[in-house]
Every structure is written in C-alpha cells, then in structure tokens.
Amino acid sequence: MDKRFEEMLLDYAMEKDASKRRDIETQLWKEFGAVKAVLILDLSGFSLLTQKYGIVHYLSMVRRMQLIAQPIIERAGGEVVKFEADNCFAMFDSPQVAVETAIALNQAFDEINIYTAEQFDIRVAIGIDYGDVLLIGGPDYFGATVNTASKLGEDQARPGEILITERALAQIPSSAGFHSESLQLEIAGITIAAASIRY
C-alpha cells in the first residue's frame, strides 16, 4: 500500500474531529481518486471442478486464464490491477472499451475451449461498473465501483455472461455494436440497475 495513503488512513482513524476527518477524506480522494471503468472477471465453477478433479487441476486453469486475459486487457489499453484467487481485477478509461474487452475475453476463451477437453474449458463471468475509485500503490483499488463490479461478476453473472451497471452503460453510445437486456438485481438488500450484454 502507498505509504502516503497509509499515513492518511491512520490520521483519519485517529482524528476525533468529524470536520477534520472529512478534510482528510477529501484530500485522499484528491490525491488518489480517479474515474474508471472497473472490470472484474471470475473463473466459473471453482467448487465443482475442484471437487471433481482436485485443486491442482483448477489452479492450472487459473494460470491459463491469467496468461490469456492479461495481454487482451493490455492490448485494449486497460490495466490488470491484480489477479486474486480465480479473479482478474482490471480497469479502463471508458466503459465501452471495458465491454469490448469483456467480449474479446469471452471469444478468446470460447476459441481455446475448442482445443481442450471439456474438463479444461475456461468459462468466465464478468461484471463492469464505472465511477470513482481510489487507486492505491501495490497496485490495488477500492470503492463502491469496485464492490459493485465484483458483486456483478462474482455473485450474479452466469458463465459467459457480461453484466454492466446502467450508469456504466449510459456512457456507451448506441452505435457501439452490441445490445443489452435490462435487469434489476437484488444484492445484499441493495437494488442494482444493470444490464446483460448481448453481442
């Protein structure tokens, strides 16, 4: 974690005056905040595949996913923030590029799956949101935008599905070349206006 960020967090936690805490928070967002499209990819089927074939089998699939996903994301101008367990956390400057990359990822995995036995097929679920994030050295990122994309990708999207929030979708022109189906999702008691991308 960035040393400056860590020091400011500690100052925030130790400060008793609410107005001074607000000042610290404002400064944190000023120094570390950015507006990004967040893409979170989840490798589908962890429990079933691990139970059926063992953890080594699944870890080999995780590594293949990483080797395939990273260059596709970077070629599109995105950044892989981190790989964590069977997830890929990435960010882009625009939601349109994030969606185009998500489609490219699904297509790449579909093509590779033609050449592998079914138990090695890679299928992913993807969530996308757009908004404020805190970018921390490490690298890492935090914020409601990251949380929402994570909920969509890890908890809601089915294998091969791309879910995007309506606020992110609103940033994409209708001429982008894909369609969407609107959804209202209930996650942990919160309603999220989202859409499933069709291409």
Side-chain angles (χ1 to χ4, degrees), residues 70-171:
Q70 185 154 358
I72 292 172
I73 290 166
E74 290 175 350
R75 273 197 305 271
E79 179 182 346
V80 173
V81 176
K82 62 182 176 179
F83 288 109
E84 190 172 271
D86 62 345
N87 297 323
C88 173
F89 295 76
M91 62 183 177
F92 300 83
D93 289 331
S94 81
Q96 180 172 340
V97 176
V99 171
E100 290 168 351
T101 304
I103 292 169
L105 286 164
N106 271 337
Q107 290 172 336
F109 293 128
D110 286 345
E111 288 172 15
I112 287 162
N113 289 345
I114 294 170
Y115 302 101
T116 58
E118 186 178 352
Q119 67 266 29
F120 286 101
D121 286 355
I122 294 176
R123 290 185 171 75
V124 298
I126 296 174
I128 297 170
D129 195 10
Y130 179 72
D132 294 326
V133 296
L134 286 170
L135 302 177
I136 314 304
D140 212 341
Y141 55 7
F142 298 95
T145 304
V146 178
N147 293 344
T148 303
S150 180
K151 291 290 185 188
L152 293 179
E154 295 184 75
D155 298 339
Q156 295 293 317
R158 299 181 303 275
E161 187 173 33
I162 302 163
L163 294 180
I164 184 171
T165 62
E166 288 287 355
R167 69 181 164 196
L169 189 60
Q171 302 294 316

Side-chain angles (χ1 to χ4, degrees), residues 9-35:
L9 278 184
L10 187 56
D11 289 345
Y12 179 91
M14 301 302 290
E15 181 56 64
K16 292 184 171 68
D17 186 295
S19 67
K20 289 182 180 177
R21 282 199 307 273
R22 282 193 297 275
D23 290 343
I24 294 169
E25 183 175 357
T26 299
Q27 189 62 31
L28 273 168
W29 279 104
K30 183 177 178 183
E31 290 188 32
F32 298 96
V35 178

